[in-house]
Amino acid sequence: MLEFGSRGSRNVFFGVAPQKGLCVTAAGTVVHGKLEGGKRVVKGMRSFEEIPHTGRNGWLNLLKFWRENRFQQLHKHMERTFNTLGPIYREKLGTLSSVNIMLPSDVSELFKSEGLHPRRMTLQPWATHREIRNHSKGIFLKNGEEWRADRLQLNKEVMMSAAVKRFLPLLDEVAKDFCRMLQTRMEKEGRGEEGKCVLTIDPSPDLFRFALEASCHVLYGERIGLFSSSPSLESQKFIWAVERMLTTTPPLLYLPPRLLLRMGAPLWTQHATAWDHIFSHAEARIQRGYQRLSTSLGRASPTGTAGGHYTGVLGQLMEKGQLSLDLIKANITELMAGGVDTTAVPLQFALFELGRNPEVQESVRQQVRASWAQAGGDPQKALQGAPLLKGTIKEVLRLYPVGITVQRYPVRDIVLQNYHIPAGTLVQACIYPMGRSEKVFEDPLHFDPSRWSREEGQRAEAAGFRSLAFGFGARQCVGRRIAENEMQLLLMHILLSFHLSVPSSEDLNTTVTLILQPETPPRITFSKL
């Protein structure tokens, strides 16, 4: 899915258009078009100013957001606004202006114009923290050629199939240990009749520990012991810091961070303190990893192992020496900070949906059992033989996307819904409203992992833009392969060991920090099979 300008003719993707010809609009209508003064003119095209909007005064809009607590319900606000204004609208909040879209055909048009160095919205609070603390920036905060050079190096260790094959056994080991821990807890705390043991819990604390344990195992090549009876206070503080960082980010997106810094605003202080905890934790892990690796690199093999042991992403990057130590630290820290909530929270939603859809759960379990039996203990083969497992993750992320938008700044003028969008405009593909729209999905509120297997045969251009939880193309989530396999493997082992049900099948209320999550974590009942 990594595509660096190879998706079609270069004149379409990088803005080199003939002086006269045909222009295909987002709606798929072919109309005569030409270039006048460097701008594409389409017959009947409407101006940027004519795009429906939520109010022209960004500061009044921001004040309304604060008063009505809309930051926490931004996904619902977007959904309501699309229902009111149609499939495209403009919004200005404080210093931030954007065009919001939700139809796959428009998203397809947007990504055609992303260029060789795709750019998404910079999280300025994060960037400001790096600048005032003199930390290097990882690829999440970079753009242009510098971003591309670093990204290509990271792709080799976290995205390519050879890398996945190396770290998959590590994720599988942690997933198995999670189920063993759950089994032990069930024997101690569970209740049962006729020898059947049942445990009803809020699994979210355990899922957060699982996500941190799994990501650290891949990043550093070693376990950190979060499944012990007394997990380290250090790791618990890290999880707290990530949650605090995510919670304080959204309000800071619409205000100048350096002004808040000069004012000593509590919101900025909380945000910066959370990042300081994250960097401190990551620095300690990286230093331990570096010391360990420095004694074993002499025994390193060409396949990225030292003394026959996989050294993790950190070890791989250090061995190859293509990135400076500061850049390695920056990117490992970002991967660590971005790899906890973003997998633990979707797993909460997955357990809930499987629990309240027993027929779906049984279908996935039967496929998993058959695939596991044939795989001979090979986790990669087991996952390949269970497409419903992958469909389950895609379906969870359709209904509950981690990030509710994917953003791009088009490198050329484009036309969306017959409106002119100038190059350099922030355009947001709003994937929460898309995932729940009847215009995009049949029976959108029905949880149906099999829909993705049925849709694989579709050839329509826009069909590939209905699942965007990890982004798209060269700038998609760099931790995608880790996250996808981590979630699938845990669900696989849970379904092999336990039956899931829920005390309440009522829809979950959701809220947005920087990511979408349940207002109250769902309780799940685990029954031993």
Side-chain angles (χ1 to χ4, degrees):
M1 198 169 169
L2 294 178
E3 299 170 356
F4 299 96
S6 61
R7 287 166 288 185
S9 62
R10 295 181 64 86
N11 65 331
V12 174
F13 284 90
F14 301 116
V16 184
Q19 290 298 305
K20 291 184 180 180
L22 296 176
C23 173
V24 182
T25 70
T29 306
V30 180
V31 295
H32 288 283
K34 58 182 179 178
L35 287 181
E36 291 183 2
K39 289 187 177 181
R40 175 170 292 178
V41 179
V42 179
K43 185 178 180 181
M45 182 177 68
R46 307 180 72 176
S47 72
F48 180 81
E49 290 298 320
E50 292 179 274
I51 299 173
H53 60 83
T54 58
R56 298 185 186 278
N57 191 313
W59 297 110
L60 286 179
N61 293 340
L62 184 60
L63 182 61
K64 184 183 291 187
F65 260 65
W66 279 105
R67 283 178 173 173
E68 299 178 6
N69 205 27
R70 288 194 194 177
F71 287 115
Q72 286 76 23
Q73 292 295 306
L74 185 57
H75 56 311
K76 296 292 187 182
H77 163 76
M78 289 176 170
E79 193 171 38
R80 287 192 301 269
T81 307
F82 281 120
N83 289 336
T84 302
L85 299 181
I88 183 170
Y89 70 91
R90 287 188 293 130
E91 186 149 63
K92 188 170 185 180
L93 292 173
T95 58
L96 186 68
S97 298
S98 67
V99 171
N100 293 349
I101 58 176
M102 60 156 283
L103 295 181
S105 55
D106 290 330
V107 177
S108 172
E109 194 76 8
L110 172 64
F111 283 126
K112 286 178 185 176
S113 65
E114 67 178 0
L116 185 63
H117 304 126
R119 191 161 67 95
R120 60 188 174 200
M121 184 175 69
T122 299
L123 295 181
Q124 196 55 49
W126 297 17
T128 300
H129 175 268
R130 305 301 189 275
E131 292 158 9
I132 64 176
R133 295 289 193 265
N134 293 316
H135 291 313
S136 294
K137 294 176 182 176
I139 60 167
F140 195 86
L141 296 172
K142 285 185 174 181
N143 290 299
E145 185 55 45
E146 187 182 20
W147 160 81
R148 188 172 187 270
D150 291 358
R151 175 71 193 236
L152 288 172
Q153 295 303 320
L154 282 171
N155 282 346
K156 296 174 185 176
E157 311 309 333
V158 296
M159 292 291 286
M160 300 305 182
S161 57
V164 174
K165 188 174 182 179
R166 286 193 291 267
F167 65 65
L168 210 58
L170 279 66
L171 296 175
D172 190 52
E173 176 188 319
V174 180
K176 288 177 179 176
D177 281 355
F178 178 93
C179 289
R180 280 192 282 268
M181 178 196 69
L182 194 58
Q183 181 66 49
T184 300
R185 184 172 177 184
M186 181 178 286
E187 291 169 358
K188 289 181 178 178
E189 304 173 22
R191 298 178 180 178
E193 296 177 2
E194 300 176 1
K196 190 171 184 179
C197 205
V198 174
L199 179 69
T200 300
I201 58 170
D202 164 14
S204 58
D206 295 323
L207 292 173
F208 279 103
R209 291 205 298 272
F210 162 77
L212 182 55
E213 183 82 14
S215 62
C216 285
H217 201 14
V218 171
L219 294 176
Y220 306 120
E222 67 171 355
R223 297 290 295 271
I224 61 174
L226 283 178
F227 292 161
S228 66
S229 55
S230 54
S232 71
L233 183 60
E234 173 189 17
S235 296
Q236 296 296 328
K237 284 182 177 179
F238 177 81
I239 292 173
W240 168 86
V242 170
E243 292 174 346
R244 175 59 56 182
M245 178 271 290
L246 293 173
T247 301
T248 53
T249 295
L252 291 170
L253 295 176
Y254 312 104
L255 298 164
R258 288 190 178 274
L259 175 62
L260 298 178
L261 171 62
R262 286 196 294 270
M263 293 169 56
L267 182 64
W268 171 258
T269 302
Q270 292 174 26
H271 184 75
T273 301
W275 268 121
D276 290 342
H277 275 297
I278 291 168
F279 269 87
S280 176
H281 181 91
E283 175 73 20
R285 296 270 176 220
I286 290 167
Q287 284 297 332
R288 285 198 288 271
Y290 180 77
Q291 291 168 6
R292 189 179 71 255
L293 287 163
S294 63
T295 63
S296 60
L297 284 181
R299 304 190 300 274
S301 75
T303 59
T305 60
H309 175 69
Y310 174 59
T311 56
V313 175
L314 175 65
Q316 300 274 58
L317 293 172
M318 286 181 169
E319 288 172 34
K320 294 182 178 176
Q322 298 296 310
L323 293 177
S324 69
L325 187 57
D326 280 345
L327 289 179
I328 291 173
K329 287 180 179 179
N331 284 293
I332 290 291
T333 301
E334 286 182 8
L335 282 166
M336 228 182 134
V340 180
D341 295 58
T342 52
T343 50
V345 171
L347 283 167
Q348 293 179 48
F349 288 124
L351 295 177
F352 171 75
E353 287 293 352
L354 289 170
R356 73 166 177 171
N357 291 279
E359 300 87 359
V360 173
Q361 179 185 161
E362 194 54 37
S363 295
V364 181
R365 178 181 289 108
Q366 288 178 10
Q367 193 177 83
V368 163
R369 276 177 170 167
S371 182
W372 181 252
Q374 294 174 4
D378 184 332
Q380 191 167 30
K381 288 182 180 178
L383 294 182
Q384 288 171 348
L388 278 178
L389 204 54
K390 185 174 183 178
T392 297
I393 298 300
K394 291 183 76 171
E395 190 72 343
V396 165
L397 293 175
R398 175 181 71 82
L399 291 167
Y400 312 99
V402 174
I404 60 173
T405 68
V406 177
Q407 319 90 32
R408 289 293 187 273
Y409 294 84
V411 298
R412 60 175 173 81
D413 290 11
I414 57 175
V415 180
L416 299 176
Q417 292 296 313
N418 210 33
Y419 291 102
H420 171 244
I421 312 294
T425 301
L426 172 61
V427 183
Q428 297 195 104
C430 302
I431 56 180
Y432 179 91
M434 179 198 292
R436 292 169 176 259
S437 172
E438 292 181 349
K439 296 177 182 178
V440 182
F441 291 97
E442 182 181 350
D443 197 5
L445 299 185
H446 178 53
F447 184 74
D448 179 16
S450 67
R451 78 167 75 231
W452 298 102
S453 299
R454 295 194 300 271
E455 291 187 357
E456 282 183 358
Q458 292 188 2
R459 290 292 179 263
E461 180 186 9
F465 297 95
R466 292 150 63 97
S467 178
L468 291 171
F470 291 102
F472 171 80
R475 191 122 206 185
Q476 66 183 290
C477 172
V478 71
R480 175 175 188 162
R481 303 301 177 212
I482 298 174
E484 284 179 325
N485 286 290
E486 184 179 322
M487 290 188 284
Q488 288 182 56
L489 284 168
L490 184 65
L491 289 183
M492 179 178 74
H493 287 296
I494 285 176
L495 290 172
L496 288 171
S497 302
F498 307 101
H499 178 270
L500 307 171
S501 57
V502 290
S504 171
S505 61
E506 293 294 314
D507 287 347
L508 294 175
N509 292 323
T510 51
T511 185
V512 174
T513 53
L514 190 59
I515 66 172
L516 186 73
Q517 52 190 318
E519 284 186 358
T520 302
R523 291 179 65 79
I524 308 295
T525 298
F526 296 85
S527 306
K528 187 176 179 181
L529 290 174

